[in-house]
Amino acid sequence: MSGNNSIAHARKLVEQLRIEAGIERIKVSKAAADLMQYCELHGRSDPLLVGVPTSENPFKDKKPCSIL
Amino acid sequence: MGEMEQLRKEAESLKDQIIVARKGFADTTLQEAVAGTAVVSRVQLKTRKTLRGHLAKIYAMHWGAGLTQCVSASQDGKLIVWDTLSTNKVNAIPLKSSWVMTCAYAPSGNLVACGGLDNMCSIYNLKGKDGNVKVMRELASHTGYLSCCRFVSDSEIITSSGDCTCILWDIETGTEKTIFAGHLGDCMSLGVAPDFKSFISGACDYTAKHWDIRDGNCTHTLSGHESDVNAIGFFPNGNGILTGSDDATCKLYDLRSDQELITYQDATIMCGVTSLAPSLSGRLLLAGYDDFNVNIWDALKAERVGVLAGHDNRVSCIGVSSDGMACCTGSWDSFLKIWN
């Protein structure tokens, strides 16, 4: 690899690391609390989590009805 | 000191800064934070539908934004659009190249896309005037296989490739808008954020990266996996990233605290993760493995709460419908199954 290529590559790496080092961060306690809150808020309407009653399950094969 | 040496030192210093910064915000762990929360009760899903029609391994599937249609891709050289309620094939699209590895459904429902060892992403218009589904664009410039593609809109799509880059394309003109370079190994998978402003990629360099779609920057590089990251997806709140790896684990990272929160692993699981999808609320993580099973994890407690066993070969792809009502698995056994 030519000297110029390595330096250009190294400069790019440093530039990228500067971006990643400079981001704003929050505490894990806050991140965890937000995750838990999101799950709590949406859990009740999560079909795979709470289950789907047969009558409301579009994928459940319903027994054929006959019209009398 | 030469410039090279200076740059090397600065790189090392920045890496240390990142490690220190992350530690500084690690005031607790997710495990501790959820200590008072009970594990969800056992999840038992049943196969409600089996989609039969592919003649070879299925490599990818993607739900449409509507509630019941999905698209699947198989190395039998076909892209099939399914009505999952009736199990009817809405479209069976023959592909120029049968070596397909990924497929995607546009949020509008108008387009589907696929690609693979042909290194291209082909866009198909499902709503053409004469009813025939034709190739609308062939996006060609990757120098490696197409591992994944996801629509941002009808006019933009993001692809990930074995050439270690991701590309944002202008579908109209068929040209590259932005090239996202930085991964040091094949890019295997990508996911678009719920707000469509960013995306994440998983690669064979064992990392996940988070990218800003508009300015092209990589804002986060997340490590910890000990092998290729094959699967990736956003936690529904848009702040968490879920990854699945050949190291037999899945992980949850948080973007705002810029670190790993928890690992989903079990001593009895020794095979790679191929695919993953969160349930609607994010509380459940469904992950497909090389051992033909899907494991269902309580995403907060990191405990296994269910298994989907029904395929006779590797589960290669998985997805949860947009209203969370059903999960679809695709397998090398050539079948797709709908579960809830």
Side-chain angles (χ1 to χ4, degrees):
Chain A
M1 210 196 295
S2 79
N4 279 339
N5 259 349
S6 315
I7 292 207
H9 183 82
R11 276 192 201 134
K12 264 209 169 119
L13 182 62
V14 166
E15 222 177 277
Q16 178 54 38
L17 286 168
R18 279 196 192 129
I19 294 175
E20 292 182 22
I23 60 163
E24 294 272 323
R25 294 178 179 83
I26 64 166
K27 293 217 153 93
V28 170
S29 54
K30 170 91 171 89
D34 285 356
L35 277 169
M36 287 161 67
Q37 191 179 56
Y38 190 93
C39 287
E40 177 71 18
L41 196 59
H42 296 92
R44 270 154 276 190
S45 45
D46 182 342
L48 295 179
L49 181 63
V50 303
V52 189
T54 305
S55 53
E56 291 162 39
N57 189 351
F59 294 97
K60 177 114 177 75
D61 276 327
K62 306 205 172 32
K63 297 238 164 27
C65 317
S66 45
I67 305 207
L68 300 170
Chain B
M1 211 193 306
E3 187 181 359
M4 196 59 196
E5 180 58 18
Q6 237 175 329
L7 290 167
R8 197 193 59 78
K9 281 206 157 167
E10 190 170 359
E12 287 311 305
S13 163
L14 286 163
K15 283 181 191 167
D16 285 338
Q17 270 180 56
I18 293 171
I19 291 173
V20 168
R22 284 171 174 164
K23 277 217 175 87
F25 284 91
D27 57 338
T28 184
T29 64
L30 178 60
Q31 202 152 15
E32 283 165 40
V34 299
T37 309
V39 182
V40 301
S41 41
R42 186 134 197 92
V43 175
Q44 286 174 308
L45 305 183
K46 295 203 174 84
T47 301
R48 302 295 177 188
K49 308 281 179 189
T50 298
L51 307 179
R52 299 182 169 88
H54 279 302
L55 303 172
K57 294 175 175 169
I58 291 171
Y59 274 79
M61 68 76 50
H62 193 213
W63 284 96
L67 307 178
T68 57
Q69 290 200 344
C70 72
V71 64
S72 61
S74 161
Q75 292 203 348
D76 63 2
K78 291 251 173 21
L79 213 57
I80 298 181
V81 177
W82 305 85
D83 176 328
T84 57
L85 287 185
S86 63
T87 72
N88 287 338
K89 299 171 190 48
V90 178
N91 303 102
I93 306 165
L95 306 174
K96 268 194 209 171
S97 162
S98 64
W99 304 113
V100 65
M101 296 173 68
T102 181
C103 63
Y105 216 132
S108 65
N110 296 328
L111 310 173
V112 289
C114 68
L117 294 184
D118 58 356
N119 298 0
M120 291 194 317
C121 182
S122 301
I123 314 284
Y124 294 84
N125 185 355
L126 297 178
K127 308 283 167 78
K129 286 190 189 88
D130 58 1
N132 274 335
V133 176
K134 290 189 296 249
V135 180
M136 199 182 94
R137 282 293 174 277
E138 281 173 345
L139 308 172
S141 85
H142 275 301
T143 53
Y145 59 86
L146 208 83
S147 53
C148 194
C149 56
R150 285 292 179 261
F151 285 92
V152 176
S153 66
D154 275 8
S155 53
E156 287 179 322
I157 191 168
I158 301 178
T159 56
S160 62
S161 168
D163 68 10
C164 308
T165 71
C166 297
I167 295 179
L168 170 71
W169 302 83
D170 178 325
I171 296 177
E172 208 61 38
T173 60
T175 57
E176 308 114 76
K177 273 184 149 163
T178 313
I179 297 176
F180 301 87
H183 274 300
L184 300 173
D186 300 15
C187 294
M188 298 303 291
S189 180
L190 76 98
V192 178
D195 68 3
F196 294 96
K197 291 183 177 164
S198 66
F199 76 96
I200 47 181
S201 57
C204 292
D205 60 5
Y206 308 177
T207 73
K209 282 180 182 285
H210 177 258
W211 310 83
D212 183 310
I213 291 181
R214 291 309 144 204
D215 69 25
N217 284 330
C218 167
T219 58
H220 302 66
T221 298
L222 301 157
S223 320
H225 276 299
E226 295 169 356
S227 189
D228 302 352
V229 177
N230 298 319
I232 198 164
F234 272 93
F235 190 90
N237 71 354
N239 294 325
I241 295 180
L242 295 154
T243 54
S245 165
D246 270 348
D247 69 7
T249 76
C250 294
K251 286 178 187 290
L252 170 64
Y253 297 89
D254 186 88
L255 285 172
R256 293 177 307 158
S257 53
D258 186 35
Q259 55 195 280
E260 177 186 324
L261 293 188
I262 207 155
T263 298
Y264 307 93
Q265 66 191 346
D266 185 306
T268 61
I269 302 173
M270 290 174 290
C271 61
V273 178
T274 61
S275 49
L276 61 81
S279 69
L280 190 68
S281 67
R283 186 62 196 264
L284 299 177
L285 168 62
L286 297 100
Y289 293 73
D290 283 343
D291 67 358
F292 312 174
N293 289 329
V294 169
N295 287 312
I296 305 178
W297 298 87
D298 176 328
L300 294 181
K301 302 288 286 181
E303 285 186 38
R304 219 172 5 160
V305 294
V307 176
L308 301 181
H311 283 291
D312 296 324
N313 206 322
R314 178 185 291 196
V315 173
S316 55
C317 50
I318 191 166
V320 171
S321 61
S322 56
D323 61 355
M325 188 63 74
C327 157
C328 177
T329 51
S331 167
W332 279 11
D333 68 8
S334 82
F335 303 117
L336 295 141
K337 286 181 185 287
I338 310 290
W339 310 74
N340 69 14

